[in-house]
Amino acid sequence: MPKTLKVAHLDDEDAIGIRPRNGSSLTRRRTPNMTASTTRRTTAQKARKTLNSRIAAVGAIAVAGTMLLTGCGDQTNSKEGSPKETAGGSSSTAAASENKLHAMLPQAIKDKGVVKVGSDIAYPPVEFKDDSGKTVGIDPDIGAALGKELGVEFEFENGTFDTLITGLRSKRYDIAMSAMTDTKDRQNGVDSDTGKKVGEGVDFVDYFTAGVSIYTKKGDDKGIKAWSDLCGKKIVVQRGTVSEDLAKAENKKCGDKGKITIEPYDNDLEAQTRLRAGGGDAGSADFPVAAYAAETSGGGKDFQIVGEQVEAAPYGIAVAKDNAQLRDAIKAALDTIIKNGEYKKILDKWGVAAGAVTEAKVNGGS
């Protein structure tokens, strides 16, 4: 979550419309591996030199041949997409692919059957808790789809956004998936404020594209239409995000117009609450998040987006540098759900199809 809101997916920076949620969460159920096993039976018998025994042997061969032909017929039907297809569109061919993907995982992941995911679960619609307390959103749905292909569960654990990479380094999490923008600084373990190296960095598997937006109280934009209009005003943001970085960068250009007062919070919902109460002039977040807030907060009466989204960049699933095996397995699974259409279904559900990628990339951010 580099909550670096870069929503302008797919190379074009088209605005991503967020549809109102229908209140339901996408429930994904892992299906058991569809591994076909073939049992061969062989019997050694002394050949009898009688016509009857020869006829019996020929009859047995005929029956066996019929069974083989029947089996082939079933497999053909499955490949053509009938009886053996699951709700997710998987066939026996896909099951074979799933087995291959599972084999790519590190043995430790196979043994526990779980990928622990560090995530700041307070960033709707990317990840958040629904009214029942269940973790839902774009990332949990994509995680469930990846887990189905890999034959493991993606288990989301809540954490503060700016501590997720630290948790990854300490092996508290296997991956971090939280609308985190893939940047060279994060890849290289460099602090974006000081330019100093603070860690070994992480690898990213890029899965979405988003830009950053500014939002204000509805009907009271304070004359803010662009980042340059924030000079002399106060902005509320989530700590450690691209939004905070952009505000700091803009501060260096303000000159006589006055500095931007930047008020960071642990999560974006806290920043929204502050702005709603009149504690700031504007807020900033990734476009999908800002658009979702504008459409849903107060029944759509609390906020409005102003200006254009900027800094379109990929969201990446962060993986430790020393875990290339897990990184490559996730990349292969992501490519699989892109090709089989499950990825598109998820983005369509959340109204963010404009942020789709056409293939998984490793470290594609700049």
Side-chain angles (χ1 to χ4, degrees):
M1 225 184 247
K3 295 185 171 188
T4 294
L5 285 186
K6 296 184 173 187
V7 150
H9 300 19
L10 297 177
D11 298 314
D12 38 44
E13 299 185 358
D14 295 339
I16 296 177
I18 303 294
R19 296 192 304 265
R21 290 196 310 114
N22 58 12
S24 63
S25 61
L26 180 65
T27 301
R28 297 181 181 275
R29 300 174 178 82
R30 281 204 321 153
T31 54
N33 290 339
M34 299 165 60
T35 306
S37 61
T38 303
T39 303
R40 299 185 178 220
R41 300 180 179 89
T42 58
T43 37
Q45 298 180 348
K46 293 183 179 180
R48 294 182 181 181
K49 296 181 180 180
T50 64
L51 179 59
N52 287 341
S53 64
R54 287 175 183 173
I55 292 173
V58 170
I61 291 171
V63 171
T66 301
M67 293 173 67
L68 287 171
L69 288 173
T70 301
C72 291
D74 287 344
Q75 292 173 10
T76 300
N77 289 339
S78 176
K79 288 180 181 179
E80 289 175 353
S82 50
K84 294 189 180 179
E85 282 201 19
T86 66
S90 299
S91 63
S92 60
T93 302
S97 171
E98 179 180 340
N99 291 337
K100 289 180 181 178
L101 292 175
H102 184 76
M104 294 178 69
L105 289 168
Q107 190 60 47
I109 298 290
K110 294 179 191 174
D111 290 344
K112 64 184 181 181
V114 170
V115 174
K116 290 186 178 180
V117 185
S119 186
D120 179 6
I121 308 174
Y123 206 57
V126 185
E127 56 263 317
F128 62 105
K129 300 281 189 181
D130 67 10
D131 292 340
S132 69
K134 180 180 179 181
T135 299
V136 297
I138 299 166
D139 282 357
D141 283 355
I142 290 177
L146 295 176
K148 181 178 177 181
E149 296 299 332
L150 291 165
V152 294
E153 295 285 351
F154 274 51
E155 186 176 280
F156 279 67
E157 297 184 11
N158 196 26
T160 304
F161 180 71
D162 60 355
T163 66
L164 295 181
I165 289 181
T166 301
L168 191 61
R169 285 200 297 261
S170 67
K171 301 191 183 303
R172 176 180 178 182
Y173 314 122
D174 298 309
I175 65 174
M177 188 176 185
S178 192
M180 184 174 288
T181 301
D182 174 3
T183 67
K184 290 297 182 186
D185 281 350
R186 286 179 173 142
Q187 292 171 26
N188 298 326
V190 172
D191 185 295
S192 57
D193 283 340
T194 65
K196 294 180 179 179
K197 191 169 179 63
V198 294
E200 66 272 26
V202 296
D203 284 336
F204 287 100
V205 179
D206 299 337
Y207 66 100
F208 190 74
T209 303
V212 180
S213 292
I214 300 170
Y215 61 95
T216 67
K217 292 185 72 173
K218 193 158 190 178
D220 186 18
D221 64 15
K222 307 289 187 184
I224 299 168
K225 303 296 183 185
W227 283 87
S228 58
D229 298 325
L230 289 168
C231 294
K233 296 181 174 65
K234 180 190 287 188
I235 187 171
V236 294
V237 297
Q238 181 173 4
R239 185 178 292 107
T241 63
V242 172
S243 292
E244 184 179 20
D245 292 342
L246 287 172
K248 290 176 179 178
E250 192 63 42
N251 246 342
K252 297 176 182 178
K253 309 173 189 176
C254 285
D256 296 337
K257 292 186 290 184
K259 295 291 186 180
I260 303 170
T261 300
I262 304 168
E263 203 166 274
Y265 291 87
D266 285 343
N267 65 63
D268 196 69
L269 294 179
E270 292 178 358
Q272 290 179 24
T273 298
R274 179 65 169 160
L275 181 61
R276 190 183 298 111
D281 298 305
S284 176
D286 291 354
F287 176 80
V289 176
Y292 186 84
E295 186 158 344
T296 62
S297 181
K301 297 177 181 179
D302 288 344
F303 305 122
Q304 64 186 17
I305 290 179
V306 296
E308 301 294 326
Q309 58 177 306
V310 299
E311 296 287 314
Y315 284 170
I317 300 169
V319 187
K321 287 283 188 185
D322 62 359
N323 207 351
Q325 190 175 354
L326 178 57
R327 177 201 68 199
D328 292 345
I330 289 173
K331 179 184 183 299
L334 179 58
D335 275 327
T336 298
I337 66 171
I338 289 172
K339 290 177 183 177
N340 69 20
E342 193 65 20
Y343 173 78
K344 182 179 184 300
K345 290 180 184 177
I346 294 167
L347 299 193
D348 284 346
K349 170 192 170 182
W350 292 102
V352 294
V357 297
T358 57
E359 64 176 332
K361 291 184 179 180
V362 173
N363 296 334
S366 58

